[in-house]
Amino acid sequence: MSNFAFNNPAFQQQDPRNVATYPGGPQAAQGAQSASLQHGAMDAAANAQLEGMYAAPPAGAIETDRMSVEDTVWKTAGLFGILLVTAAIGWVMTLGGVDVPAFSRESTFQPNMLPWIVGALGGFVLAMVITFTSRKKVRPALIFAYAAFEGLFIGGISAFFEVIWPGIVFQATLATVSVVGVTLALFASGKIRASKKATKIFMIAMIGYLVFSLLNVVLMWTGVLPQDQAFGMLSASIMGIPLGLIIGVLVVIMAAYSLVLDFDQIQQGVRNGAPRKYGWLGAFGIMVTVVWLYVEILRIIAIVRGSN
């Protein structure tokens, strides 16, 4: 492989005073042979380097400092690992041990509500901070803390529900994993995609659900609703069907579409070459949605089993 730079006339001019290197001189043949060997060695080295580059694995998120699906998956797995650890702590703190006590009307067992309350408040505050400050700076430490607080909340509420309805945590976990798996499979296959119209409907439904939930909580706290309605207005029935069951199914569909939005944003970030740190926001979004989905399914099962 010749170097085109040497075709410049400046490199081809000869100095007659340099007899040893003058064309046709005694060292001309040796010089030509040496140059040929050097060029051959350079070609071989270049070919070896190219072959090594082709054989090497493609550059990942660390080498390119760009967001990738694989890197976001690992970040998501790490956050859920933190959540599971603190959920176990919340479970033990709520029950005062690992074993679930038997529940009855005459039972004097009083669960420790502190992990539930601390986890819910801490998770809500951090979620707001992360959401409204992420445009300026992504702070993974805050996302780690959010996962830890959410773990306390999930562990506490799961232990409380497990005391009243044994086996409900396994049922809710299995249902949550199923919904997430089916949604991911449909999105990966291209059968469902986020659209502007569907997103607009989702936002309207989400605002309506938040207003309803806030009103329900206020009515429960103020004692307006009967004490025997554990879930407030959600415990009411319409033609024999619990209102909480109807709304719960709609909310599960909303949460599934929220997962589609999360997957779509991650896909867009990878396609647009977003910085690698934004993978934490993708993992954070998935965690928020999955926790919301789990709690809603937990409540649906509790309403169904309570009505029976």
Side-chain angles (χ1 to χ4, degrees):
M1 181 174 62
S2 61
N3 192 331
F4 292 103
F6 290 101
N7 293 329
N8 193 300
F11 293 100
Q12 298 175 357
Q13 293 176 356
Q14 302 295 332
D15 189 350
R17 293 172 296 181
N18 192 349
V19 179
T21 58
Y22 193 79
Q27 296 182 356
Q30 295 180 6
Q33 184 177 4
S34 176
S36 178
L37 291 174
Q38 291 178 3
H39 281 221
M42 292 173 60
D43 289 346
N47 290 334
Q49 184 178 10
L50 286 174
E51 291 178 1
M53 292 173 63
Y54 289 138
I62 298 178
E63 292 80 9
T64 62
D65 197 32
R66 289 290 181 266
M67 187 177 175
S68 70
V69 174
E70 293 79 7
D71 186 63
T72 304
V73 169
W74 281 112
K75 286 179 169 63
T76 305
L79 292 181
F80 275 102
I82 296 174
L83 183 143
L84 290 176
V85 171
T86 56
I89 296 174
W91 178 286
V92 173
M93 291 178 62
T94 301
L95 299 181
V98 179
D99 296 333
V100 179
F103 176 78
S104 64
R105 296 295 181 182
E106 295 78 17
S107 176
T108 59
F109 170 73
Q110 293 294 330
N112 181 10
M113 306 297 292
L114 187 61
W116 182 348
I117 297 174
V118 171
L121 293 178
F124 176 77
V125 172
L126 285 174
M128 293 298 101
V129 173
I130 294 168
T131 300
F132 291 106
T133 63
S134 59
R135 290 183 177 272
K136 296 181 179 180
K137 186 176 181 180
V138 178
R139 297 178 176 88
L142 292 181
I143 300 177
F144 295 156
Y146 169 80
F149 276 106
E150 283 298 282
L152 287 176
F153 168 68
I154 290 298
I157 194 174
S158 297
F160 179 78
F161 275 58
E162 186 70 19
V163 170
I164 303 175
W165 297 286
I168 191 173
V169 172
F170 176 76
Q171 294 173 337
T173 302
L174 183 61
T176 303
V177 172
S178 300
V179 173
V180 174
V182 170
T183 304
L184 179 59
L186 292 175
F187 180 83
S189 64
K191 293 183 178 180
I192 56 173
R193 282 289 183 268
S195 65
K196 292 183 179 180
K197 183 177 180 181
T199 302
K200 185 180 297 184
I201 296 174
F202 167 78
M203 294 304 299
I204 295 173
M206 188 67 189
I207 294 174
Y209 176 70
L210 290 177
V211 172
F212 171 82
S213 299
L214 181 61
L215 179 61
N216 188 41
V217 170
V218 171
L219 292 177
M220 291 176 66
W221 283 350
T222 55
V224 176
L225 297 176
Q227 294 294 328
D228 59 342
Q229 294 186 0
F231 299 101
M233 290 186 291
L234 294 174
S235 298
S237 298
I238 298 178
M239 294 184 296
I241 303 176
L243 179 61
L245 179 60
I246 299 173
I247 295 179
V249 172
L250 296 177
V251 173
V252 168
I253 296 174
M254 290 168 55
Y257 185 75
S258 181
L259 275 176
V260 174
L261 292 177
D262 295 332
F263 298 151
D264 183 70
Q265 290 176 355
I266 293 172
Q267 190 179 67
Q268 290 183 14
V270 174
R271 187 186 300 116
N272 296 332
R276 182 176 173 231
K277 62 183 179 181
Y278 285 97
W280 288 113
L281 292 182
F284 167 73
I286 291 176
M287 171 165 283
V288 171
T289 304
V290 171
V291 169
W292 174 33
L293 178 64
Y294 171 79
V295 172
E296 195 60 42
I297 291 177
L298 192 70
R299 182 163 52 188
I300 289 175
I301 298 176
I303 291 174
V304 173
R305 293 181 61 173
S307 63
N308 293 334

